[in-house]
Amino acid sequence: MQAKQEKYTIFQNINWYLKKTSKKFPKLKYGLLVQGITSLSILVATSGVPTLIIWGLQRSFNFSRLSVMILSVCIGLGCLLWGQSVYKTWLQWENANFRLQLTVDDGMGFLISPFEESIDTEIQKIRVTSSKHGYEDDDSGVDVLWPSFVSLGATLVSVLVIAVATVVIEWWSPVVILMFSLISARFLIKFNDSQRLLKASVDGTNFYQKYLYQEAFKLESGKDIRMYSLRNQYQEKIEAAFRQMTETQRKINLQKIKSIGLICLLDTIQLFFMYVPLIIRVSEHSMSLPVFTFFLTLLGTLSTLVRRGATEFSKLIMANEDVTIGREYLDYVDKLQKKEKVHAGAERINHVNEIEFRNVSYHYPNDEKDIIRDISFTIKKDASVALVGLNGAGKTTLISLMMGLLKPTAGEILINGISSKNINMHEYSRLFSPIFQSGATFADTIEKNITFHNKSKFSTTDVLNVSGLASDVMHLKNGENTALTQYIDDKGISLSGGQSQKLMMARALYKDGQVLILDEPTSALDPLAESNLYRQYHELSRNKISIFISHRLASTQFADVVFFIKNGRLVDSGTHAALLKSNEEYANLYHVQSKYYVEGDELGNGE
Ligand SMILES: Nc1ncnc2c1ncn2[C@@H]1O[C@H](COP(=O)(O)OP(=O)(O)OP(=O)(O)O)[C@@H](O)[C@H]1O
């Protein structure tokens, strides 16, 4: 992702907006034209009516004819105003739909971005900040950009027309209005800058607040929060964030009040300088009453329009800043989508004959320390590998690299001799059937949690049988169609830890990937289920490469080869029996663990 945020001009952002809306919301582009025409028509009608009345009265016009004329103009004006309001409402509605579309794109960005980015806090912060400024709220960013551009454009056209018309009659007053408006606009821009800084100062708090609500309040955290008395701490954190937000809002409001006061003062001075010369001219009879009325109406309108223009301009500048921040993540999503299309044509692999790690190193984003260090190995077809090492040695990281969830920061991973960089990522992930340490259950039926609507050579009954979940599912009233979790379906069920692990296994078996990856698959299984898994292991991994992580070293005897990982390095490899003989550290680990079973047995025998 780009390190430094791009600065976009208003026209660049408007261009981006029109391009983005051109497919799904094409009519939005007519906004400027429609509003320009209606504003001008309304302007002509509103300034025409009072003049028409004075003019008619002075000429002793036939009363009924004059009434009909004025009534017609008023009805026309009413229709125009109604049409303009309807159009404005429609514009806002379409624009809001577009804004919501961007939030969908944002979500899509999360789904298509590499896994690494979902654990990269820097990118997640950018995502939250982008959405907050650019497209999440209904009074900033994209919600304001186009409507205020349209409104400003229409206002400027009207201002120009009135300015020309009034300057012809008398130059002083319109020049006074324009001059004061420029001062107001300059002031508003400065005010916007400080508002923007104030808003940006709570970006970090906003991110933290999001974390508190989304992550810390997950169902899984509920038990710890209660059992470890975290309530007060959380309450303090939430209140501190809330205090900072309200304090900033207070400062923003205070600034607004001050700025409104200053603008009112400028308006008062402007009115004085604008009207006094006119009144003097009328009293000296150098200006006729209809011209005075016409001129006064126009000046009033000009003053209102210029003030509106200045407000729209300041809104536009703010919206432009916000959209620029919003685009930081949205542009990135666009790049991801383009990359996906390009990658669709990359190399495809149907059978995995060999997986090679060539001098692979890896460090996590935002952490320079290498977790995997210069690892090289080759795994051939049908091989079964056990990964062994202490907590934090790097086993899960290693298999995440193998599955393409993480990308090596140095070195290369090759499948059948082809660099993983050149393989279509979608196809690549189809090669692997992982059973994660804590896999996700989705709010859907048991069947969908296994199949995900995909086809397989196995049936769900097959895989439920092999994974050992079949008898539990059989006892449910709706069997495989029972919903998991109560998020969506009140009648949904929750699985125990071991049942979840069996479900993950059923899911992996159904997918029938070429490489079976088991990350501590027996940690939550009861002894019977664990023994069942070991019994079936050869059957499960037949014709596949299988990688097995387990802290129960006795299980490594099922593997053709054991990789012993220490501090991110592959320090030794061989069969379980060979390592027991040749590697003292490995042998120690095995004996420390097996000792308890032996001692326990002896204790049991002695009793
Ligand atoms: N998202 C992350 N960001 C930064 N560091 C991480 C991240 N995930 C893991 N690590 C670090 O990487 C190291 C290796 O973690 P990994 O999960 O690969 O170890 P492991 O061998 O599977 O451990 P265990 O046996 O406990 O499951 C740990 O020191 C951990 O702190």
Side-chain angles (χ1 to χ4, degrees):
M1 210 166 172
Q2 63 214 46
K4 201 165 161 276
Q5 196 190 316
E6 290 256 7
K7 266 271 179 216
Y8 292 113
T9 64
I10 290 174
F11 290 105
Q12 281 171 326
N13 275 338
I14 290 292
N15 193 25
W16 168 86
Y17 174 94
L18 290 177
K19 260 195 196 153
K20 278 254 167 203
T21 52
S22 66
K23 266 200 189 135
K24 266 199 170 172
F25 308 95
K27 287 182 187 149
L28 273 170
K29 69 170 172 281
Y30 300 116
L32 191 56
L33 185 71
V34 175
Q35 192 141 339
I37 293 172
T38 48
S39 296
L40 266 184
S41 315
I42 290 169
L43 174 70
V44 171
T46 42
S47 44
V49 174
T51 318
L52 196 66
I53 297 170
I54 303 286
W55 178 71
L57 288 175
Q58 280 203 329
R59 298 198 148 210
S60 321
F61 233 55
N62 174 303
F63 181 72
S64 54
R65 252 180 84 190
L66 183 67
S67 305
V68 171
M69 271 171 67
I70 292 169
L71 189 67
S72 318
V73 175
C74 287
I75 290 173
L77 182 65
C79 290
L80 265 174
L81 285 169
W82 177 78
Q84 195 188 45
S85 314
V86 170
Y87 168 75
K88 264 192 178 167
T89 313
W90 172 83
L91 182 88
Q92 274 164 8
W93 164 249
E94 277 291 275
N95 194 53
N97 283 339
F98 169 62
R99 183 171 63 75
L100 292 176
Q101 176 63 47
L102 291 181
T103 60
V104 174
D105 289 355
D106 169 297
M108 188 50 74
F110 182 76
L111 294 180
I112 61 171
S113 62
F115 170 72
E116 252 164 319
E117 311 209 327
S118 56
I119 55 171
D120 186 338
T121 44
E122 202 54 45
I123 295 181
Q124 291 316 312
K125 266 182 199 154
I126 290 175
R127 182 172 174 224
V128 168
T129 308
S130 282
S131 106
K132 182 77 194 156
H133 284 260
Y135 41 92
E136 186 183 285
D137 291 343
D138 60 4
D139 58 353
S140 62
V142 169
D143 201 62
V144 181
L145 184 79
W146 182 239
S148 52
F149 184 81
V150 164
S151 183
L152 177 66
T155 308
L156 284 182
V157 173
S158 307
V159 166
L160 201 71
V161 171
I162 302 180
V164 170
T166 47
V167 164
V168 172
I169 303 169
E170 205 251 285
W171 68 271
W172 168 253
S173 301
V175 167
V176 167
I177 292 179
L178 291 173
M179 203 177 72
F180 273 88
S181 305
L182 280 179
I183 299 172
S184 297
R186 178 77 202 89
F187 170 72
L188 275 170
I189 290 167
K190 220 176 141 211
F191 163 71
N192 278 343
D193 272 349
S194 52
Q195 294 259 301
R196 185 175 49 78
L197 288 176
L198 275 174
K199 269 171 91 181
S201 72
V202 285
D203 281 346
T205 315
N206 180 45
F207 183 72
Y208 185 53
Q209 210 177 30
K210 271 238 157 83
Y211 159 75
L212 285 176
Y213 284 105
Q214 278 177 7
E215 294 299 315
F217 291 152
K218 270 184 180 166
L219 219 56
E220 298 85 59
S221 320
K223 287 187 215 150
D224 295 81
I225 287 176
R226 281 161 189 81
M227 296 312 294
Y228 290 95
S229 313
L230 294 177
R231 203 188 80 182
N232 289 347
Q233 286 177 36
Y234 267 107
Q235 201 167 345
E236 270 169 32
K237 283 174 186 167
I238 289 167
E239 279 173 6
F242 179 71
R243 270 197 305 276
Q244 201 176 343
M245 300 291 233
T246 44
E247 175 57 17
T248 310
Q249 194 53 49
R250 193 185 66 82
K251 284 183 189 161
I252 289 177
N253 290 345
L254 210 71
Q255 270 192 356
K256 267 188 191 157
I257 292 171
K258 278 188 202 161
S259 71
I260 290 170
L262 203 74
I263 288 176
C264 286
L265 182 71
L266 283 170
D267 275 358
T268 315
I269 304 171
Q270 171 198 299
L271 286 175
F272 179 79
F273 281 108
M274 186 177 96
Y275 286 130
V276 169
L278 285 183
I279 294 166
I280 293 171
R281 278 187 66 181
V282 175
S283 62
E284 286 171 351
H285 302 292
S286 63
M287 185 181 270
S288 73
L289 217 51
V291 172
F292 174 74
T293 317
F294 180 61
F295 196 57
L296 212 60
T297 318
L298 281 189
L299 284 183
T301 315
L302 182 66
S303 172
T304 313
L305 284 177
V306 165
R307 189 159 347 118
R308 189 194 301 162
T311 312
E312 290 299 347
F313 183 57
S314 91
K315 268 164 76 178
L316 184 63
I317 289 180
M318 283 278 262
N320 191 55
E321 301 264 5
D322 283 337
V323 169
T324 300
I325 297 172
R327 280 185 64 180
E328 189 166 10
Y329 189 70
L330 292 175
D331 285 354
Y332 170 68
V333 174
D334 283 348
K335 267 189 216 152
L336 282 177
Q337 275 169 339
K338 275 186 198 137
K339 217 159 128 187
E340 256 219 333
K341 275 185 197 151
V342 173
H343 228 88
E347 297 259 12
R348 281 154 202 267
I349 294 211
N350 293 322
H351 295 284
V352 180
N353 298 321
E354 184 186 277
I355 300 176
E356 184 186 352
F357 269 49
R358 201 178 280 172
N359 304 108
V360 172
S361 295
Y362 179 76
H363 64 81
Y364 279 97
N366 315 321
D367 188 0
E368 290 299 302
K369 190 178 143 231
D370 272 347
I371 297 298
I372 296 296
R373 301 161 194 224
D374 197 19
I375 284 191
S376 297
F377 59 77
T378 304
I379 303 173
K380 297 278 185 195
K381 193 169 184 271
D382 298 344
S384 135
V385 179
L387 290 187
V388 170
L390 296 181
N391 290 135
K395 304 176 296 293
T396 301
T397 308
L398 187 88
I399 56 162
S400 301
L401 284 161
M402 189 180 288
M403 289 187 283
L405 289 174
L406 305 175
K407 306 270 179 294
T409 41
E412 232 185 339
I413 298 172
L414 302 106
I415 309 280
N416 301 349
I418 303 169
S419 168
S420 59
K421 286 182 217 146
N422 300 327
I423 301 174
N424 175 307
M425 272 325 287
H426 183 60
E427 294 292 318
Y428 190 94
S429 53
R430 281 173 51 152
L431 302 174
F432 296 88
S433 274
I435 302 172
F436 293 113
Q437 268 185 46
S438 49
T441 29
F442 298 94
D444 208 332
T445 62
I446 293 178
E447 190 232 332
K448 296 288 179 311
N449 262 281
I450 293 171
T451 64
F452 295 121
H453 299 272
N454 293 318
K455 295 227 171 336
S456 164
K457 71 177 186 200
F458 299 114
S459 70
T460 44
T461 318
D462 293 339
V463 294
L464 282 170
N465 274 326
V466 177
S467 68
L469 197 60
S471 61
D472 292 334
V473 173
M474 224 166 59
H475 288 106
L476 297 168
K477 193 172 140 219
N478 293 322
E480 291 173 18
N481 291 321
T482 306
L484 290 183
T485 81
Q486 286 95 32
Y487 278 113
I488 310 289
D489 188 339
D490 293 343
K491 294 195 185 70
I493 59 155
S494 299
L495 296 179
S496 73
Q499 286 169 331
S500 262
Q501 212 154 32
K502 289 174 185 171
L503 180 83
M504 300 309 140
M505 195 180 302
R507 181 185 287 172
L509 295 176
Y510 184 86
K511 187 180 175 192
D512 194 27
Q514 297 259 313
V515 184
L516 184 63
I517 303 235
L518 305 101
D519 192 353
E520 295 191 49
T522 60
S523 58
L525 297 187
D526 61 46
L528 285 179
E530 185 178 6
S531 140
N532 180 41
L533 175 76
Y534 291 148
R535 260 193 302 113
Q536 298 196 61
Y537 184 64
H538 278 296
E539 194 54 38
L540 297 176
S541 57
R542 190 193 291 276
N543 300 326
K544 290 184 198 309
I545 288 178
S546 73
I547 319 281
F548 191 99
I549 298 180
S550 177
H551 288 295
R552 304 189 195 187
L553 295 195
S555 65
T556 56
Q557 58 193 289
F558 297 101
D560 301 328
V561 62
V562 178
F563 285 177
F564 189 31
I565 313 284
K566 193 177 166 190
N567 294 331
R569 287 189 196 281
L570 174 57
V571 287
D572 210 345
S573 65
T575 61
H576 172 66
L579 283 184
L580 272 184
K581 279 192 197 138
S582 65
N583 190 308
E584 203 180 324
E585 213 172 341
Y586 181 82
N588 263 344
L589 283 180
Y590 176 73
H591 291 308
V592 163
Q593 200 174 47
S594 57
K595 194 173 82 173
Y596 291 104
Y597 291 104
V598 176
E599 279 176 359
D601 284 350
E602 282 166 359
L603 212 81
N605 291 337
E607 274 176 356

